[in-house]
Every structure is written in structure tokens, then in C-alpha cells.
Amino acid sequence: MKIKLHKEGYPVIVLVFFLLLAIIILLNILFPAQTLIHYFLYLSGLIFYFFVIRFFRDPIRELVPDNNLIISGADGKVVVIEEVFEKEYFKCNRKQVSVFMSPTNVHVNWFPVGGVINYFRHNHGSYFIASKPKSSDENERTTIVVETDDKKEILFRQIAGTVARRIVCYAKENKQVIQGDELGIIKFGSRFDLFLPLDAKIEVTIGQKVTGSETIIARF
């Protein structure tokens, strides 16, 4: 599998590099004699910088679109599978499947189905822990609805968490998208919700680890 760095990561990576460099320069000006503490701080900074770069990894995954499948839009762990009342768009009961992304997961998101984007909203809100159920309705989030070629609508959300406070989303209403296209990225720990028709056959279980643009979440 090929991996590249996501374009949204470059400004952060450059900023962190210069901040760490400034700290090292200041440390050596104030305390020029090299000690074990210096070497410990150098190593800590290097490890921290490695994880900052790693966070913005953007794997290249090949997917053959299939109109009968709903694919995971994110890497992470399934934390919710339940029937809920979806009140923003459908205003009726739907099957909800939620994937929690820890800070160590890939945070790029992909379109779980292909079709036309009928609805897009960016809602401002709170920053509760993303694994909690109330985060779906109360946290900062984007809501996207895609209508497939078979006239079936799927709603999904990118949800910010306690640490993740910036959602990048490339969705636009009336845009034609392909299953597996990049949707955007959520920075530093978050959640991806799917709201499916009641007759959808769920293919995952609570606690299961899933891979974005690869794992089958459900079938129509």
C-alpha cells in the first residue's frame, strides 16, 4: 500500500518543525553545556515530530465501486450500531453505525457511497469526547447526504472531538462523487457516523476495527 502525506498536514508539519527548532536554539542559548537532559529533550522532540508527521499520512487505497455496498468512510473502531431517529435531514428512524478514530488512526475520510450530494451543512457545536453518543448531535460536525444512482440516500457525518477541533470537508451540494473519493480529514481524534436505511444489512459488529475505503459496513 502506498502512503503519502495529506496536503492539509504540510502547514502543521512546517510550523511544528520551526517551533521545535526555536525551542532547541533557546535551550542551547540558556544552557549551552550538553547534559543527559538535553539529549532526552532532543529525543522527545524527535518522537513528537515523528507522530505529527505520521498523523497526516494519506494511504492510497484502490476501490472498485459497488452500488450495493456501503463502505467505511474512516479507519477506526465501530462504537455504535443502533436504530435512531435522525432529526436533521430524514426526520425518521435510520440505522446508525459510528466509527471512532483515535489519534493513532488515519484521519482521512472517504465517501462511503457514490452519487450526487443532495445536502451539506457544517454545524458548529461543542467538543465532547467523540466516542460518546451525544457527540453526534452536539459536537461540531459536517453532515452530508449522497443520493446513489439507485435513488437511495445515505447520510454521514464527520464529527470533531475533544482534541480534534478542525474538520476539513470537500463536499459541495450537487457535486457528483465516486465511492472511495476523498471526503476530507479531521484533525486529531474524531468520529464518523453513517445513517442507513432500516432495511440495510449491517456487516460489522461493535468493537470491530474497520478500514476506510475498504471495509464493508453494510449492504443495500
Side-chain angles (χ1 to χ4, degrees), residues 65-195:
D66 188 328
N67 289 335
N68 294 318
L69 303 179
I70 301 156
I71 305 298
S72 180
D75 286 16
K77 182 173 71 173
V78 177
V79 293
V80 173
I81 300 176
E82 63 182 0
E83 184 176 326
V84 299
F85 183 81
E86 198 294 303
K87 58 187 178 182
E88 179 176 348
Y89 181 82
F90 292 115
K91 296 179 174 58
C92 65
N93 282 9
R94 307 287 283 187
K95 284 184 179 178
Q96 178 182 339
V97 179
S98 300
V99 175
F100 175 71
M101 294 172 275
S102 76
T104 60
N105 286 125
V106 170
H107 273 61
V108 178
N109 298 143
W110 295 267
F111 282 95
V113 294
V116 177
I117 299 175
N118 283 347
Y119 179 85
F120 171 75
R121 292 291 185 277
H122 184 165
N123 300 292
H124 297 283
S126 302
Y127 297 98
F128 296 112
I129 298 173
S131 59
K132 301 298 182 183
K134 63 182 178 181
S135 68
S136 183
D137 294 322
E138 299 184 31
N139 279 21
E140 180 172 352
R141 62 200 179 276
T142 63
T143 302
I144 304 102
V145 177
V146 172
E147 181 180 335
T148 69
D149 294 339
D150 297 329
K151 304 301 179 183
K152 297 174 182 177
E153 289 187 313
I154 300 297
L155 184 151
F156 42 96
R157 291 192 178 115
Q158 297 171 290
I159 301 171
T162 302
V163 179
R165 302 219 169 192
R166 183 162 181 241
I167 299 173
V168 177
C169 186
Y170 305 132
K172 293 181 180 179
E173 288 187 3
N174 301 316
K175 180 181 178 181
Q176 182 80 36
V177 296
I178 299 172
Q179 186 180 51
D181 278 355
E182 186 179 316
L183 170 64
I185 187 172
I186 317 175
K187 297 183 178 180
F188 302 110
S190 40
R191 174 169 154 162
F192 193 94
D193 284 359
L194 279 159
F195 293 84

Side-chain angles (χ1 to χ4, degrees), residues 70 95 196-204 216-220:
I70 301 156
K95 284 184 179 178
L196 313 176
L198 293 179
D199 60 356
K201 181 183 178 183
I202 306 300
E203 298 285 350
V204 292
I216 298 171
I217 294 292
R219 299 176 186 270
F220 286 113

Side-chain angles (χ1 to χ4, degrees), residues 20-33:
L20 290 174
L21 183 61
I23 292 172
I24 290 173
I25 292 172
L26 181 62
L27 176 66
N28 281 274
I29 291 174
L30 296 176
F31 307 100

